[in-house]
Amino acid sequence: MILDARIPGGPIQDKWDRHRFEMKLVNPANKRKFRVLVVGTGLAGGSAAASLAELGYDVDAFCFQDSARRAHSIAAQGGINAAKNYQNDGDSIWRLFYDTVKGGDFRAREANVYRLAQVSAAIIDQCVAQGVPFAREYGGQLANRSFGGAQVSRTFYARGQTGQQLLLGCYAALSRQVGLGKVRMHPRTELLDVVVVDGVARGVVARDLVTGKLSSFAGDAVVLATGGYANVFFLSTNAKGCNVTATWRAHRRGAGFANPCFTQIHPTCIPQAGEHQSKLTLMSESLRNDGRVWVPKTPGDKRPPDQIPDADRDYYLERKYPSFGNLAPRDIASRSAKEACDAGRGVGPGGRGVYLDFRDSIARLGRAAIADRYGNLFDMYARITGEDPWRTPMRIYPAPHYTMGGLWVDYNLMSTVPGLHVIGEANFSDHGANRLGASALMQGLADGYFVLPNTIGDYLAAGPFEKLTADHPEVVAARRQVEDRVTRLLAVDGDRTVDSFHRELGRIMWEYCGMERTDEGLRKAVVMIRDLKDEFWRRVKVPGGGSDSPGGLNQALEKAGRVADFFELAELMCIDALHRTESCGGHFRAESQDADGEARRDDENFSYVAAWEWTGEAPVLHREDLVFEYAHPSSRSYK
Ligand SMILES: Cc1cc2nc3c(=O)[nH]c(=O)nc-3n(C[C@H](O)[C@H](O)[C@H](O)COP(=O)(O)OP(=O)(O)OC[C@H]3O[C@@H](n4cnc5c(N)ncnc54)[C@H](O)[C@@H]3O)c2cc1C
């Protein structure tokens, strides 16, 4: 079946303005009659909840952390893009649009990306007005730096803690509405199912993570802003709590899951140190502004880096991609690192690392300038590795980081289930097969501050809707199903920990559905995942009590539910990767590469978004054909 994204007509630069004019509005006096459930209060959900309440809607907001301020968005380091052209270096809405479509390897929807570029400038103004302390030039102008896949400097930043500062601004806006009684905040509350009545999203079932109590919440619309699923790999740069449960449960209730195999492996992470590690740490892409990536020219060269002269070093990104150099996009930089390591030129334990070297920039700019730009990142690296990056180059290696796939949404950010909207990393919308650095924060805040507050009105204007009560059969049924699942997880009472299953699943995914995928490997992975899932349901051990226990705090139970969902998602990721026999962006099929080892797209057969429908058996593929009227698909060269 072909999906209709409901993209407005007219020239691309006029679509959003025209659409805003043509959409139905909810009268200001009527807004308070609608209740919107916003699940997730990271940058996407927090900005949406605050903006919707500011408009007059009543909002219930949920997060599983103890405070909205602890959402994973807080970890974002490097910056946020916007087409302000403060540097006068040739940036424009068109250029940001083009860079994003090209960066995504021509697998994103043009109209959404153009809108994103259009509203990007307003995001910066909004955040500055909230007091976000962006870095500034000496004269007071906001500073910019470069990120991968762009030849202009358009990234706004607050040292290496941009996400934290943006989230504090967003949290202030949210808190104001909590104080005014317009937002009811439910921290430490985890969505475990979506309530769908007559095909329309009308509520959620959630578990209080402190008491274990299950409750249902009814609303006129549901918004999922629940982040990405890179933790399916177990080891990733994401916070440990990030998971797929909210979007996966919605998928099981009818929401199409789009491009699940489009995952981003980030090139600059601290290499894994051992088998028992449970988390990987990102070193921001911004470091590639001043750090040079290299490996020894000769395989097996074990000399310490300071004893390897320039003539014996291979600055491979500068060599292979002279016009973008160290700022080649992530998918390309990651694959190049793997290639160097596979050729025996990797450095550090196991040869799974490449150098990121600041020697030349420290000599050129001085230590103070580098400390000013990246001081906290240098400290973090030193603390984690025990090595001093001021003296010896950092060692980095690619790691799972971001997921471009997610629930399918139309131009209004609504999923295939009417009333269910999806924003931020949780949707699939804007980044195609590879996201450019500093564009996730831009998309999350565009969705939350500017797009959804407009488009949700178009949906709600069809109301008022019949009020839903806790004794409605669909609510009762959804709650009972959640209860049964909790009971089932506890009842297995096996002999293997949840983490041991998750770790093993992660290894399968990294090996067969990671940086390089093959037909044979993916088929093997599907079988292995199914076997491991069966074993999980026979052998998992979840100690402690469930929802009926006096103190229902049970982190093993929380993890078990999330890992059970990761199993199902992992299978779909492999099925999606298997069906897409082309290479594009982060999805590299070994069978589809050119003579230089670069990804070879197949526009004739795969220029579409793959949205999968849950059936309980084999998933069914629905396509959204991608039409490129403005950014014409070309071979993606960064040379
Ligand atoms: C280390 C790191 C650095 C990064 N740096 C940058 C950067 O510099 N620039 C950039 O643009 N991007 C960066 N990114 C990507 C970016 O941070 C994320 O894509 C973005 O913050 C996601 O925001 P979000 O609001 O969609 O989701 P999140 O911030 O992940 O928030 C998800 C929310 O959903 C809630 N939630 C999830 N599931 C449930 C559930 N079942 N029930 C209830 N609540 C739930 C959580 O509690 C949380 O509130 C970085 C990512 C990482 C990992």
Side-chain angles (χ1 to χ4, degrees):
M1 205 166 84
I2 305 293
L3 288 167
D4 180 7
R6 300 196 298 154
I7 299 167
I12 199 164
Q13 61 273 32
D14 299 337
K15 282 181 196 291
W16 179 230
D17 279 348
R18 199 170 128 182
H19 190 55
R20 275 193 295 168
F21 177 66
E22 287 174 356
M23 276 188 295
K24 291 187 227 79
L25 293 175
V26 179
N27 175 323
N30 284 341
K31 288 201 172 89
R32 65 173 181 276
K33 296 178 187 159
F34 292 100
R35 178 162 293 282
V36 182
L37 309 182
V38 179
V39 188
T41 49
L43 282 174
S47 57
S51 306
L52 292 172
E54 198 74 46
L55 281 171
Y57 297 109
D58 284 330
V59 175
D60 275 284
F62 304 82
C63 70
F64 62 72
Q65 288 92 350
D66 55 357
S67 159
R69 266 178 46 204
R70 293 188 191 275
H72 161 66
S73 289
I74 205 167
Q77 301 172 350
I80 175 168
N81 287 332
K84 285 275 200 188
N85 194 27
Y86 280 170
Q87 304 303 315
N88 198 22
D89 57 358
D91 201 10
S92 62
I93 289 170
W94 278 102
R95 191 176 292 282
L96 175 53
F97 157 72
Y98 182 76
D99 285 350
T100 308
V101 175
K102 176 184 169 190
D105 219 352
F106 302 93
R107 291 294 173 264
R109 188 189 290 151
E110 272 194 338
N112 284 52
V113 179
Y114 194 88
R115 174 177 64 188
L116 176 65
Q118 273 177 313
V119 302
S120 66
I123 297 171
I124 303 302
D125 298 343
Q126 168 94 356
C127 297
V128 168
Q130 288 170 344
V132 172
F134 285 121
R136 287 177 187 266
E137 309 288 1
Y138 176 71
Q141 185 88 310
L142 295 186
N144 292 132
R145 57 189 175 198
S146 305
F147 257 63
Q151 286 178 310
V152 295
S153 291
R154 62 161 75 99
T155 306
F156 295 77
Y157 62 99
R159 262 198 162 184
Q161 353 173 307
T162 314
Q164 177 170 1
Q165 299 305 332
L166 291 173
L167 195 59
L168 286 169
C170 175
Y171 180 73
L174 181 64
S175 300
R176 173 179 139 76
Q177 293 301 329
V178 172
L180 291 171
K182 292 297 287 178
V183 175
R184 284 198 309 226
M185 188 65 222
H186 307 270
R188 305 215 68 179
T189 306
E190 181 165 33
L191 175 154
L192 292 180
D193 212 343
V194 176
V195 178
V196 177
V197 179
D198 298 330
V200 175
R202 291 302 313 272
V204 301
V205 177
R207 182 171 181 272
D208 183 317
L209 298 180
V210 179
T211 64
K213 186 168 173 262
L214 289 178
S215 305
S216 54
F217 298 84
D220 298 293
V222 179
V223 180
L224 296 186
T226 48
Y229 53 85
N231 274 351
V232 67
F233 291 97
F234 186 70
L235 284 178
S236 89
T237 62
N238 287 13
K240 283 298 288 175
C242 292
N243 68 88
V244 77
T245 288
T247 46
W248 192 256
R249 294 282 123 193
H251 173 56
R252 290 180 58 120
R253 292 278 176 200
F257 209 112
N259 300 335
C261 80
F262 286 175
T263 50
Q264 177 163 85
I265 311 292
H266 196 297
T268 55
C269 303
I270 299 180
Q272 186 180 347
E275 276 306 296
H276 299 290
Q277 195 165 334
S278 59
K279 171 92 188 67
L280 292 174
T281 306
L282 174 78
M283 297 310 295
S284 168
E285 179 166 304
S286 60
L287 292 165
R288 285 196 276 146
N289 270 287
D290 292 307
R292 298 178 70 194
V293 178
W294 65 275
V295 288
K297 273 188 181 157
T298 317
D301 187 341
K302 294 277 180 252
R303 283 176 291 174
D306 60 352
Q307 287 173 30
I308 302 182
D310 267 7
D312 293 346
R313 298 176 174 197
D314 180 12
Y315 291 94
Y316 58 84
L317 288 176
E318 296 170 29
R319 173 175 56 80
K320 287 165 65 178
Y321 309 104
S323 59
F324 282 71
N326 293 296
L327 285 172
R330 293 176 179 178
D331 52 338
I332 286 172
S334 287
R335 266 203 307 282
S336 294
K338 180 175 185 297
E339 205 178 274
C341 295
D342 289 351
R345 299 191 295 142
V347 298
R352 295 277 117 190
V354 301
Y355 289 126
L356 179 63
D357 197 339
F358 289 83
R359 181 197 66 182
D360 296 346
S361 50
I362 294 171
R364 194 176 72 252
L365 303 165
R367 182 173 168 144
I370 297 297
D372 205 33
R373 288 178 196 172
Y374 317 109
N376 67 320
L377 300 174
F378 273 55
D379 291 348
M380 193 167 86
Y381 181 87
R383 252 181 264 131
I384 291 174
T385 61
E387 291 170 16
D388 180 359
W390 293 105
R391 288 168 181 275
T392 184
M394 292 181 180
R395 281 178 301 107
I396 52 168
Y397 194 68
H401 175 65
Y402 180 88
T403 48
M404 283 75 69
L407 291 185
W408 184 87
V409 286
D410 64 11
Y411 188 74
N412 279 357
L413 304 180
M414 190 157 80
S415 72
T416 51
V417 176
L420 182 71
H421 296 74
V422 193
I423 60 175
E425 193 175 339
N427 73 23
F428 88 103
S429 71
D430 296 354
H431 309 293
N434 171 60
R435 173 177 70 80
L436 292 184
S439 286
L441 302 182
M442 172 174 68
Q443 182 225 325
L445 290 180
D447 288 358
Y449 281 134
F450 297 108
V451 181
L452 184 83
N454 283 286
T455 58
I456 205 168
D458 193 48
Y459 174 77
L460 293 172
F465 306 103
E466 196 187 322
K467 291 290 164 212
L468 193 70
T469 54
D471 58 357
H472 188 285
E474 295 292 356
V475 179
V476 174
R479 220 180 120 155
R480 183 162 314 127
Q481 282 162 22
V482 171
E483 239 164 50
D484 291 349
R485 193 158 182 269
V486 169
T487 312
R488 194 174 155 214
L489 282 168
L490 290 165
V492 179
D493 199 24
D495 57 359
R496 264 190 82 172
T497 62
V498 178
D499 271 356
S500 79
F501 280 106
H502 193 177
R503 196 182 291 274
E504 195 173 334
L505 174 68
R507 272 196 215 109
I508 299 171
M509 293 305 284
W510 180 244
E511 181 68 25
Y512 301 109
C513 198
M515 264 196 284
E516 187 172 300
R517 297 140 182 209
T518 63
D519 181 276
E520 190 193 348
L522 289 164
R523 287 180 198 282
K524 198 166 155 186
V526 170
V527 175
M528 290 169 86
I529 293 165
R530 285 183 188 152
D531 288 349
L532 192 64
K533 184 175 79 176
D534 287 348
E535 190 181 334
F536 173 87
W537 283 104
R538 277 186 285 108
R539 287 186 56 190
V540 72
K541 171 85 182 168
V542 182
S547 47
D548 293 325
S549 67
L553 178 70
N554 187 340
Q555 290 188 316
L557 179 62
E558 290 165 29
K559 277 200 266 185
R562 294 169 189 172
V563 172
D565 289 333
F566 274 139
F567 274 117
E568 295 179 4
L569 165 79
E571 190 177 327
L572 186 66
M573 285 171 68
C574 293
I575 291 171
D576 186 40
L578 195 56
H579 109 282
R580 194 174 279 275
T581 53
E582 66 163 352
S583 291
C584 57
H587 171 62
F588 189 74
R589 282 288 299 258
E591 301 91 343
S592 183
Q593 52 182 305
D594 64 18
D596 293 338
E598 304 286 352
R600 196 177 59 219
R601 280 197 330 263
D602 176 357
D603 291 335
E604 206 174 306
N605 293 304
F606 288 101
S607 196
Y608 63 78
V609 177
W612 297 90
E613 179 191 346
W614 171 266
T615 62
E617 291 169 6
V620 173
L621 173 66
H622 299 268
R623 290 181 354 198
E624 176 197 336
D625 289 330
L626 293 169
V627 179
F628 295 96
E629 286 180 87
Y630 299 88
H632 297 291
S634 56
S635 155
R636 191 170 153 242
S637 169
Y638 291 94
K639 291 182 174 162

